[in-house]
């Protein structure tokens, strides 16, 4: 049975995820809604492309913190709800909070439900649930980005790295974590559908994340 505390934590996790960092930073410091430029995405990658390195790093860090903080709200809930730390019940509740935060990022109540693709927030969630697997995801992302210069492909490969590492390297015994990893793959494929189509056609733009684009329409 869901308690008032656990329900409140889920609502708070959604609100954390709903903070549209890319939109707010763009509007507050540059007078620009990043959703009107570049890929039209309210995430870190498009912020790098549209507003440059400083804004991009700020958005990326804050989006990671959204997922990490929301997932770790589990520590604030009583043991009667979550069970002992690192127990199956505790991890399951972490996953519920993290997923809720990611949904907030995808459909933010503070930005007309037009959010980003959730990669940085997903990473923050993974970092909270399984830090070693998160580091492998980072390594995969950086390696693919250096080789191909495609951020979208790097994100997809990093996303698939999580369940593969959980299953074959860390041999997790918590089924929900494995299932969650598989769900990450599906979510990434859905949110990156247009990118995948452009990759197949050879029309996907390569990354030049540290150079601000000309914003003239």
């Amino acid at each position: 049975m869901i308690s008032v505390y656990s329900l409140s934590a889920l609502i708070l996790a959604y609100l954390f995820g709903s903070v549209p960092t890319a939109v707010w930073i763009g509007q507050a410091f540059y007078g620009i809604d990043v959703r009107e430029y570049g890929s039209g995405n309210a995430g870190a990658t498009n912020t790098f492309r549209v507003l440059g390195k400083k804004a991009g790093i700020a958005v990326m860090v804050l989006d990671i913190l959204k997922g990490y903080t929301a997932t770790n709200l589990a520590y604030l809930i009583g043991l009667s709800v979550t069970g002992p730390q690192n127990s199956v019940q505790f991890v399951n509740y972490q996953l519920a909070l993290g997923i809720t935060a990611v949904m907030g990022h995808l459909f933010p109540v503070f930005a007309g439900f037009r959010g980003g693709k959730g990669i940085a927030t997903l990473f923050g969630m993974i970092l909270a649930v399984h830090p070693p697997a998160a580091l492998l995801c980072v390594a995969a992302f950086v390696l693919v980005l250096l080789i191909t210069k495609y951020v979208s492909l790097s994100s997809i490969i990093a996303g698939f790295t999580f369940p593969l590492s959980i299953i074959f390297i860390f041999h997790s015994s918590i089924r929900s974590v494995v299932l969650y990893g598989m769900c990450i793959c599906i979510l990434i494929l859905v949110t990156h559908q247009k990118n995948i189509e452009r990759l197949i056609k050879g029309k996907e733009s390569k990354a030049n994340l540290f150079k601000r684009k000309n914003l003239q329409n």
Side-chain angles (χ1 to χ4, degrees), residues 52-105:
K53 179 172 65 174
K54 291 182 179 179
I57 290 175
V59 169
M60 180 176 64
V61 171
L62 290 172
D63 282 352
I64 291 172
L65 283 175
K66 289 193 310 187
Y68 184 82
T69 303
T71 304
N72 280 331
L73 287 173
Y75 288 99
L76 301 180
I77 307 300
L79 293 179
S80 61
V81 175
T82 64
Q85 292 179 13
N86 298 322
S87 67
V88 174
Q89 186 178 351
F90 180 83
V91 173
N92 287 344
Y93 198 71
Q94 279 190 306
L95 293 175
L97 290 166
I99 291 170
T100 303
V102 172
M103 295 307 295
H105 181 85

Side-chain angles (χ1 to χ4, degrees), residues 132-143:
L135 293 179
L136 284 180
C137 292
V138 171
F141 178 90
V142 172
L143 180 62

Side-chain angles (χ1 to χ4, degrees), residues 41-214:
N41 182 260
T45 299
N46 198 41
T47 304
F48 270 109
R49 288 170 173 161
V50 174
L51 301 179
K53 179 172 65 174
K54 291 182 179 179
I57 290 175
V59 169
M60 180 176 64
V61 171
L62 290 172
D63 282 352
I64 291 172
L65 283 175
K66 289 193 310 187
Y68 184 82
T69 303
T71 304
N72 280 331
L73 287 173
Y75 288 99
L76 301 180
I77 307 300
L79 293 179
S80 61
V81 175
T82 64
Q85 292 179 13
N86 298 322
S87 67
V88 174
Q89 186 178 351
F90 180 83
V91 173
N92 287 344
Y93 198 71
Q94 279 190 306
L95 293 175
L97 290 166
I99 291 170
T100 303
V102 172
M103 295 307 295
H105 181 85
L106 295 174
F107 307 105
V109 67
F110 301 124
F113 301 99
R114 290 177 57 202
K117 294 179 180 178
I119 298 300
T121 306
L122 269 173
F123 175 72
M125 177 183 178
I126 293 172
L127 186 62
V129 173
H130 203 299
L135 293 179
L136 284 180
C137 292
V138 171
F141 178 90
V142 172
L143 180 62
V144 176
L145 184 61
L146 290 175
I147 293 173
T148 68
K149 302 296 191 252
Y150 291 124
V151 175
S152 57
L153 181 60
S154 302
S155 299
I156 293 169
I157 297 300
F160 276 78
T161 297
F162 179 70
L164 291 175
S165 64
I166 285 293
I167 296 170
F168 297 109
I169 297 177
F170 300 108
H171 307 290
S172 176
S173 60
I174 302 179
R175 293 182 181 179
S176 57
V177 174
V178 177
L179 179 61
Y180 163 70
M182 294 178 179
C183 290
I184 283 180
C185 296
I186 296 173
L187 177 63
I188 289 177
L189 290 176
V190 170
T191 57
H192 287 76
Q193 183 178 355
K194 292 182 179 179
N195 302 90
I196 293 171
E197 291 175 358
R198 289 194 294 266
L199 284 167
I200 293 173
K201 295 177 181 178
K203 297 181 179 180
E204 179 75 336
S205 299
K206 292 192 174 183
N208 189 1
L209 301 181
F210 302 110
K211 182 178 179 181
R212 183 173 171 178
K213 284 190 173 183
N214 187 339

